[in-house]
Amino acid sequence: MRILILLVPVFLLICSCQQTESKAELQPLDLLKYGIPITINAPDSAKVRKSKIGDWDDVTIKKDDYSLQIFVRDAETSDMAKIKAEELQLVKSERFFSSIVREDDKGFIYETSVDSIPFYNFKYLHHQADKIYTFQKGLADNITLEEAEKIYKSVKQ
């Protein structure tokens, strides 16, 4: 019984240290030098790559379990409700769409399922000047729900 009483505080201390380390690993990352006038939180020393897909700019930020892709396109409207509704409609029309896990006024986390195996993604939308910034998981990566929530939180403005 005494061992149990001693182990509980040690376990709590270890858990709190792990949470502190997890939060500490995300640092402000200014994306202006990549053409995006936004600062997000990302892992220290994350690799950032910029490319172009048609008329869209594509910025990918990757390190370990942090995988973020940002698409930048010209805004056709500044109505965030309309922009989000269009993104929701696109996601819900995907073949393997399962459900919306979480939603707020600028985005959502959703689940897809292939052969009963769940996969997670998110869309966070930001309108600034004449551009729409769409934040989502990296296209080639699979992430857990916890990772999706962590990355979603890291980009929220």
Side-chain angles (χ1 to χ4, degrees):
M1 182 68 173
R2 287 183 183 175
I3 292 174
L4 183 60
I5 292 172
L6 291 174
L7 287 178
V8 170
V10 171
F11 177 76
L12 293 174
L13 180 63
I14 290 170
C15 289
S16 68
C17 288
Q18 288 175 344
Q19 289 175 350
T20 303
E21 289 173 12
S22 173
K23 290 179 184 175
E25 70 185 33
L26 297 182
Q27 305 292 323
L29 175 62
D30 185 357
L31 297 172
L32 188 56
K33 67 182 173 183
Y34 303 100
I36 298 177
I38 294 172
T39 298
I40 63 165
N41 291 314
D44 189 34
S45 304
K47 293 188 182 208
V48 181
R49 182 184 52 97
K50 181 179 180 182
S51 60
K52 197 122 175 110
I53 300 174
D55 292 336
W56 294 22
D57 288 329
D58 171 15
V59 175
T60 303
I61 303 154
K62 176 103 173 102
K63 184 173 181 184
D64 302 327
D65 63 351
Y66 188 98
S67 176
L68 176 66
Q69 191 138 22
I70 307 166
F71 292 111
V72 184
R73 67 185 199 280
D74 291 334
E76 295 176 15
T77 180
S78 61
D79 182 351
M80 284 303 296
K82 181 177 180 184
I83 295 166
K84 182 183 157 202
E86 289 170 354
E87 287 292 329
L88 269 168
Q89 182 180 7
L90 281 172
V91 165
K92 288 180 177 180
S93 70
E94 290 178 8
R95 179 177 174 196
F96 298 108
F97 172 78
S98 298
S99 65
I100 299 296
V101 177
R102 301 213 196 326
E103 185 175 359
D104 61 37
D105 60 333
K106 287 188 151 190
F108 50 92
I109 297 172
Y110 65 98
E111 177 186 286
T112 56
S113 180
V114 179
D115 294 329
S116 300
I117 300 170
F119 297 94
Y120 297 93
N121 199 347
F122 62 89
K123 299 278 184 162
Y124 178 79
L125 306 158
H126 178 71
H127 178 263
Q128 187 170 322
D130 62 343
K131 301 287 184 190
I132 298 295
Y133 301 87
T134 303
F135 299 80
Q136 65 182 45
K137 77 161 183 72
L139 290 178
D141 296 303
N142 290 321
I143 59 176
T144 66
L145 178 56
E146 293 77 22
E147 291 165 344
E149 289 172 334
K150 174 184 167 185
I151 300 168
Y152 187 86
K153 184 178 178 183
S154 78
V155 300
K156 285 181 79 168
Q157 305 294 312

